[in-house]
């Protein structure tokens, strides 16, 4: 449980940003905190995002993951700490601000308008126009063509871009949202639990898009509560629990088992197994949880030995 | 493989065209059925045929011109109200705001003895201002528009009566027929155009122009895209960078603008306005928009639909007179149309949201 944590000061110390050739992070958070009234949703979170790297944010329900990305996306403002975009301190006052700074977000609830056609959703807020002054109109044909082409490039073959987006499957909608973010030249792509509602196959598709986006040089923030999804694609892992950072690791310093163990918390799992047995839970389930407890304990033991 | 489809692999189409076996063929007729105003269109045709059969005068050109005039006085407002409803809001103050606008123009120019046009321009400012205030309070308080505009409805109703009495000493505004600018203002807002021997009120043409402009904005400009989006899901719209506040306030001001046109027409069609008028008309505008296929919950509808809704209203209103029935039946008709239209809308929405 004591894998080496990332030291923000030394992280990528001698590397230069491949696009801007400046020795700074694309985006970095330093001691960021946020409260809603008297509820502290997030405190003292430090992380960095760089071009061509995937930063995963892991945590259970209510850990503060969505709060964290809402700060980066301009939906909320942080009340503690600083947010740097390419070295300059920023505080976004609206999502438009963040978008203009190259930060695109695929929200948990997707931010699509279900009754609107796919192509209108794709270009919503960034419509293409032709013409002049008061006679400026949308370039409808071009927008439809681009929507079709961009989605085809992601391997989604659409029936009809005039279809209301509400009729698409969860996975398809997810892909439209990602394609939109990538098309509008995002530098940072944030995905809030993109795989939460998806089946195994669709999850695989989304994970592949994450890698595609990374290979295109985007800095990706991938939020999930599933370490099995995070580990294969992530370069760095930030673990949140009850609004606090409980770990920040580089891929080379941590294993999937360690991540899982830290997220679940061995003691809590043991307690759950006990409780389920007490309540007369199905024996299969109880055994499964007990097995997991054993696994977590073992991993914890191994990692502490390795440390020692 | 870098990209896979999330869908079951479609057999490669031999033609290479984008035909898709999952699509089914959609004939132009089926496409028409997918439009928001189709229910209203069918209703309008049925009603038209019905009144043509039961009334011998309904089909005469002058009767048609009267029906169109009746439709236009609702339709002009229905344009703004439909856009607002697509944007997800109501305006219950729209009916009395028309009268407020007319009263502003007449009382101001009468009291200060200015040219009528000074009052007309001031009334435009007042109408846009009322829309702005409605929208601004709505955005700032996040209260439902039902409450906000109900409050402005009551306040304007009171103001109309109180200020008219305070300034002119009566429930009706004083006559402005002899004042400077009256003739030119009447020519603009309340004249008739003779086409092939039939008098058409110019509000009919204003109405058609407004519908055309609103349709263009809605379907072909980015502002139109924003209107659908703020009505469909304001949070999602804000998240992708749509200026939700400006769009919503702008929509309320558009209703104000339509109210100004109708208010000026009401004033210059005669030379005075009754300060107690307008109450209840807001529902006629909303009904026209709903019959025309605008979803009460926002995000769906069309300007043409609102126009068809207003036309249905005009036909039912005058058709009953031409059929020499008791006008008591009018409200029954309206209620029935409203019910049928909302049921059609419901089906449309279900089909769009469910797979
Ligand atoms: N607008 C809000 N007002 C008050 N409390 C909030 C608000 N939004 C979130 N919270 C609280 O802040 C905490 C963190 O919430 P957040 O949505 O960031 O969790 P999350 O990690 O995204 O969870 P999930 O995995 O369920 O999406 C929760 O305890 C939540 O109740
Ligand atoms: Mg969340």
């Amino acid at each position: 449980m004591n894998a080496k944590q990332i030291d923000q000061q030394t992280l990528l110390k001698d590397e230069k940003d491949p696009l801007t050739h400046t020795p700074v992070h694309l985006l970095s958070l330093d001691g960021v905190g946020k409260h809603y009234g008297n509820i502290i949703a997030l405190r003292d979170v430090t992380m960095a995002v760089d071009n061509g790297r995937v930063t995963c944010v892991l945590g259970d329900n209510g850990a503060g993951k969505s709060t964290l990305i809402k700060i980066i996306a301009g939906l909320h403002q942080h009340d503690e700490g600083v947010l740097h975009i390419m070295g300059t301190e920023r505080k976004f006052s609206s999502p438009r601000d963040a978008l203009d700074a190259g930060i695109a977000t695929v929200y948990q609830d997707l931010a699509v308008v279900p009754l609107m056609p796919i192509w209108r959703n794709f270009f919503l807020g960034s419509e293409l126009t032709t013409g002049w002054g008061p006679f400026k109109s949308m370039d409808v044909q071009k927008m439809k063509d681009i929507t079709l082409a961009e989605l085809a490039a992601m391997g989604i073959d659409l029936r009809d871009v005039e279809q209301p987006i509400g009729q698409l499957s969860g996975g398809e909608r997810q892909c439209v949202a990602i394609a939109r973010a990538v098309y509008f030249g995002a530098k940072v792509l944030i995905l809030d639990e993109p795989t939460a509602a998806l089946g195994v196959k669709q999850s695989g598709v989304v994970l592949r898009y994450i890698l595609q986006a990374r290979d295109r040089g985007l800095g990706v923030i991938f939020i999930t509560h599933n370490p099995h999804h995070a580990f294969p694609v992530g370069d760095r892992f930030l673990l949140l629990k009850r609004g606090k950072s409980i770990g920040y690791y580089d891929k080379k310093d941590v294993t999937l088992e360690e991540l899982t163990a830290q997220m679940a918390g061995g003691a809590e799992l043991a307690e759950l197994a006990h409780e389920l047995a007490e309540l007369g839970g199905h024996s299969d389930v109880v055994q499964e949880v007990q097995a997991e407890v054993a696994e977590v304990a073992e991993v914890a033991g191994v990692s502490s030995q390795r440390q020692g | 493989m870098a990209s896979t489809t999330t869908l079951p692999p479609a057999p490669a189409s031999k033609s290479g065209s984008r035909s898709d076996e999952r699509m089914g063929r959609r004939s132009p007729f089926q496409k028409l059925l997918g439009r928001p105003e189709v229910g209203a269109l069918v209703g309008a045709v049925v009603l038209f045929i019905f009144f043509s059969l039961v009334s011998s005068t309904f089909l005469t050109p002058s009767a048609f011109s009267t029906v169109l005039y009746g439709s236009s006085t609702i339709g002009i407002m229905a344009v703004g109200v439909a856009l607002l409803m697509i944007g997800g809001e109501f305006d219950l103050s729209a009916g009395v705001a028309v009268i407020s606008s007319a009263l502003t123009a007449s009382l101001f120019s009468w009291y200060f003895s200015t040219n009528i046009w000074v009052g007309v321009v001031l009334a435009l400012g007042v109408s846009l201002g009322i829309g702005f205030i409605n929208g601004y309070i709505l955005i700032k308080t996040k209260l439902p528009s039902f409450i906000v505009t109900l409050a402005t409805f009551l306040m304007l109703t009171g103001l109309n009566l109180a200020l008219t009495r305070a300034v002119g000493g009566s429930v009706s505004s004083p006559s402005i027929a002899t004042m400077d600018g009256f003739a030119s203002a009447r020519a603009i807002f309340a004249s008739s155009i003779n086409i092939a021997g039939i008098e058409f009120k110019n509000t009919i043409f204003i109405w058609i122009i407004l519908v055309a402009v609103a349709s263009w904005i809605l379907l072909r400009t980015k502002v139109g895209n924003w209107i659908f989006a703020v009505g469909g899901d304001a949070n999602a719209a804000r998240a992708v960078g749509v200026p939700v506040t400006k769009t919503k306030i702008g929509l309320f001001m558009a209703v104000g603008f339509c109210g100004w046109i109708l208010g000026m027409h009401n004033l210059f069609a005669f030379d005075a306005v009754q300060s107690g008028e307008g109450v209840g008309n807001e529902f006629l505008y909303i009904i026209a928009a709903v019959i025309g296929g605008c979803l009460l919950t926002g995000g769906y509808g069309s300007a043409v639909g609102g126009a068809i809704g207003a036309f249905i209203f005009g036909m039912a209103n005058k058709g009953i007179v031409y059929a020499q029935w008791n006008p008591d039946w009018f409200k029954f008709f309206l209620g029935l149309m409203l019910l049928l239209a909302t049921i059609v809308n419901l089906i449309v929405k279900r089909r769009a949201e469910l797979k």
Side-chain angles (χ1 to χ4, degrees), chain A residues 65-66 108 192-193:
Chain A
K65 305 183 297 294
S66 295
Q108 197 164 4
D192 191 6
E193 312 227 16

Side-chain angles (χ1 to χ4, degrees), chain A residues 75 95-96 99 107 111 113 115-116 120 124 127 134 137-138 140 148 155 157-159 167 172 180 208 212, chain B residues 1-2 4-7 18 22 216 219-222 225-226 229 232 236 238-241 351-353 355:
Chain A
L75 275 165
R96 185 80 256 169
L99 282 166
Y107 293 91
V113 185
L115 281 168
M116 286 172 79
R120 281 182 181 264
L124 187 56
E127 293 83 359
S137 66
M138 291 196 294
V140 175
L148 209 56
D157 128 58
L158 283 177
R159 278 153 269 201
Q167 288 179 345
E172 288 171 319
R180 172 170 76 181
R208 234 175 263 133
Q212 262 184 32
Chain B
M1 199 167 85
T4 2
T5 161
T6 57
L7 303 162
R18 284 207 3 91
R22 294 161 304 178
W216 178 74
L219 298 177
R220 283 291 172 268
T221 70
K222 60 181 179 185
N225 220 24
W226 298 346
R238 184 167 116 84
V240 294
R351 207 180 46 194
E353 281 192 339
K355 274 164 275 164

Side-chain angles (χ1 to χ4, degrees), chain A residues 22-265:
Chain A
T22 45
V24 288
H25 298 296
L26 193 50
L27 182 155
S28 67
L29 300 178
D30 222 326
V32 163
K34 162 86 193 164
H35 51 81
Y36 299 106
N38 57 1
I39 302 168
I40 299 171
L42 206 63
R43 80 186 104 153
D44 194 24
V45 171
T46 296
M47 69 180 249
V49 178
D50 293 283
N51 286 315
R53 286 203 170 60
V54 180
T55 305
C56 296
V57 179
L58 289 137
D60 264 325
N61 297 117
K65 305 183 297 294
S66 295
T67 305
L68 178 70
I69 65 117
K70 279 177 182 162
I71 291 170
I72 303 175
L75 275 165
H76 293 324
Q77 286 78 45
H78 49 285
D79 356 82
E80 281 163 36
V82 283
L83 164 66
H84 283 105
I85 308 291
M86 301 210 278
T88 36
E89 190 179 336
R90 296 292 301 266
K91 203 171 205 174
F92 298 125
S93 57
S94 74
R96 185 80 256 169
D97 259 13
L99 282 166
D100 291 342
I103 298 171
T105 311
V106 177
Y107 293 91
Q108 197 164 4
D109 43 20
L110 292 176
V112 296
V113 185
L115 281 168
M116 286 172 79
I118 298 166
W119 67 271
R120 281 182 181 264
N121 263 293
F122 192 95
F123 282 92
L124 187 56
S126 316
E127 293 83 359
L128 303 179
T129 52
T130 58
W132 176 86
F135 305 108
K136 213 187 253 178
S137 66
M138 291 196 294
D139 197 341
V140 175
Q141 196 51 49
K142 195 166 161 200
M143 286 160 69
K144 285 183 186 173
D145 290 347
I146 291 174
T147 305
L148 209 56
E150 286 298 311
L151 292 175
M154 290 203 109
I156 307 159
D157 128 58
L158 283 177
R159 278 153 269 201
D160 179 6
V161 284
E162 279 286 3
Q163 230 184 330
I165 203 163
Q167 288 179 345
L168 294 184
S169 80
E172 288 171 319
R173 252 179 294 170
Q174 190 68 249
C175 294
V176 173
I178 296 175
R180 172 170 76 181
V182 173
Y183 175 75
F184 287 106
K187 292 198 272 288
V188 179
L189 177 63
I190 307 174
L191 300 130
D192 191 6
E193 312 227 16
T195 55
L198 302 186
V200 176
K201 186 155 168 263
Q202 268 91 348
S203 294
V205 174
V206 169
L207 293 178
R208 234 175 263 133
Y209 291 147
I210 292 178
L211 294 181
Q212 262 184 32
R214 178 198 68 184
D215 294 340
R216 286 202 203 180
L218 274 75
V220 181
I221 304 178
F222 174 29
I223 288 151
T224 175
H225 54 241
N226 190 339
H228 295 274
H229 287 164
F231 195 75
V233 297
D235 295 297
R236 285 175 210 145
F237 307 92
L238 174 70
L239 286 111
L240 292 182
K241 190 170 198 169
R242 301 166 71 96
K244 271 199 301 195
S245 167
I246 54 165
Y248 184 31
Y249 306 106
D250 205 282
K251 180 133 177 196
K252 64 182 187 311
D253 301 323
V254 72
T255 64
L256 174 59
E257 287 72 23
E258 284 168 336
L259 276 185
T260 317
Q262 257 213 341
M263 269 196 68

Side-chain angles (χ1 to χ4, degrees), chain B residues 168-240:
Chain B
S170 152
V171 288
S172 159
S173 71
S175 167
I176 51 167
T178 54
M179 296 182 63
D180 288 346
F182 184 80
S184 58
R186 171 172 270 186
I188 297 286
F189 292 107
S191 58
S192 295
I193 295 167
N194 194 311
I195 299 174
I198 306 146
E199 293 277 305
F200 286 97
K201 287 282 198 305
N202 72 342
T203 48
I204 298 168
F205 304 100
I206 296 177
W207 175 39
I208 292 169
I209 292 169
L210 281 178
V211 172
V213 171
S215 291
W216 178 74
I217 290 177
L218 212 46
L219 298 177
R220 283 291 172 268
T221 70
K222 60 181 179 185
V223 173
N225 220 24
W226 298 346
I227 293 173
F228 280 116
V230 297
D233 188 337
N235 289 329
R238 184 167 116 84
V240 294

